[in-house]
Amino acid sequence: MSLTAPQIRKRKRRHGSEPLVMVTAYDEPGARYVAAAGVDFLLVGDSVANVVLGQADTLHVTVDEIAHHVRAVAAAAPDAHIVADLPWMSYHVSESDTVRNAAVLIRAGAHSVKLEGGANRVAMVRALINAEIPVMGHIGLTPQSVLAMGGFKVQGKTKAAAELLVADAQSLQEAGVFCLVIEGVPSDVGRRVTEALEIPTIGIGAGPDTDGQVLVFHDLLGLSGRPVAKFVRRYADIGAQITDAVSRFAADVRSSNFPAEAETYPTPSELLD
Ligand code: KIV
């Protein structure tokens, strides 16, 4: 059975919990393989824009596109906790828009939604929670802020910036988020935010002291066409295996080695005459 948001909320390492594991998933096969590995939750991230759709940033994906991927993931892993990213501009205009957009993702099969930002998102978080939708926060290097940040840059590098991140995290916790992603900050900031909260933190490039870790499916498996960030550990080189397998198929076709007898349907006797 999948973990519920209230169960995840209690998973603090300092209270003896095992670190949480989250991996992104965007389609049925990916979700099936990741769920079979026993991760705690699957994230249908707006990183789909980068790793599946080949875009340079996450600003161009829509609620309907995320919903399309949530449906595929939910078809594969109905028992896994599925978090869906609210894409850029789906929670920036009004509380009613935010709730309606989140409802599209929940109806597509998500169990919670994730949004980026700190104290500036508190009203939207409260509106979602009033509508009974569990919310995960995301602070630090928030990719939807790429234009405002002037690039994908490590955040929280000054004392003031680090203190602001801790304050943002506390505001989000107070508003009711059940879990918080911290991305692209020095390890010390990941630790300080984690220590300041009662809810679990999930790090990505935030050092070893968060309550869990998340990686992007394509980065972890060596399927990513883009240069990967310093914090990525590659556990396989599936991209090279795909190229090798398809090259062997092409060679077999070109040398008439495919299909073999065992890969063809026998001719019915009636057709032999
Ligand atoms: O979209 C995504 O993959 C994410 C993770 C990097 C946390 O938000």
Side-chain angles (χ1 to χ4, degrees):
M1 261 322 272
S2 73
L3 286 173
T4 63
Q7 286 168 333
I8 294 166
R9 180 191 289 280
K10 296 185 193 138
R11 294 277 300 266
K12 272 315 258 187
R13 279 169 77 191
R14 69 166 173 262
H15 300 323
S17 290
E18 217 183 20
L20 288 160
V21 182
M22 183 159 84
V23 175
T24 64
Y26 314 100
D27 58 18
E28 195 276 341
R32 185 158 30 86
Y33 289 121
V34 173
V39 300
D40 295 303
F41 30 39
L42 306 177
L43 169 65
V44 184
D46 59 358
S47 52
V48 68
N50 309 119
V51 296
V52 176
L53 304 176
Q55 296 170 0
D57 57 48
T58 56
L59 302 181
H60 305 282
V61 278
T62 63
V63 172
D64 288 341
E65 285 169 330
I66 298 280
H68 171 81
H69 290 276
V70 170
R71 268 191 294 279
V73 167
D79 288 340
H81 185 106
I82 298 167
V83 188
D85 255 342
L86 279 165
W88 180 65
M89 263 310 132
S90 68
Y91 57 95
H92 301 67
V93 177
S94 69
E95 292 169 30
S96 53
D97 258 17
T98 303
V99 173
R100 276 196 205 97
N101 286 328
V104 171
L105 303 181
I106 298 292
R107 289 198 170 122
H111 302 106
S112 59
V113 296
K114 175 166 81 56
L115 54 74
E116 298 183 5
N120 56 342
R121 303 292 174 229
V122 160
M124 301 312 182
V125 171
R126 288 196 204 283
L128 290 165
I129 289 170
N130 272 335
E132 320 297 347
I133 299 174
V135 187
M136 179 180 283
H138 184 161
I139 62 167
L141 195 176
T142 44
Q144 293 174 15
S145 320
V146 60
L147 300 179
M149 289 184 313
F152 297 102
K153 296 181 176 158
V154 175
Q155 300 295 299
K157 284 167 77 174
T158 63
K159 191 163 179 278
E163 280 167 5
L164 198 58
L165 284 173
V166 173
D168 275 339
Q170 284 168 327
S171 302
L172 290 167
Q173 171 174 271
E174 202 160 306
V177 302
F178 72 98
C179 191
L180 181 70
V181 170
I182 316 173
E183 177 167 357
V185 296
S187 300
D188 183 62
V189 177
R191 180 183 54 73
R192 279 206 242 170
V193 171
T194 302
E195 281 175 358
L197 298 184
E198 284 305 317
I199 55 166
T201 56
I202 311 283
I204 174 158
D209 299 315
T210 52
D211 296 300
Q213 298 286 337
V214 52
L215 279 181
V216 168
F217 180 89
H218 292 66
D219 293 345
L220 185 160
L221 294 173
L223 281 167
S224 189
R226 57 183 184 157
V228 293
K230 176 184 168 78
F231 56 75
V232 169
R233 188 180 296 176
R234 204 169 248 193
Y235 285 86
D237 194 1
I238 307 292
Q241 286 188 38
I242 291 174
T243 303
D244 175 60
V246 176
S247 304
R248 287 189 288 115
F249 168 61
D252 281 348
V253 171
R254 289 177 184 137
S255 62
S256 302
N257 263 329
F258 179 87
E261 176 95 40
E263 290 146 348
T264 56
Y265 296 109
T267 308
S269 53
E270 188 182 326
L271 296 184
L272 283 175
D273 297 339

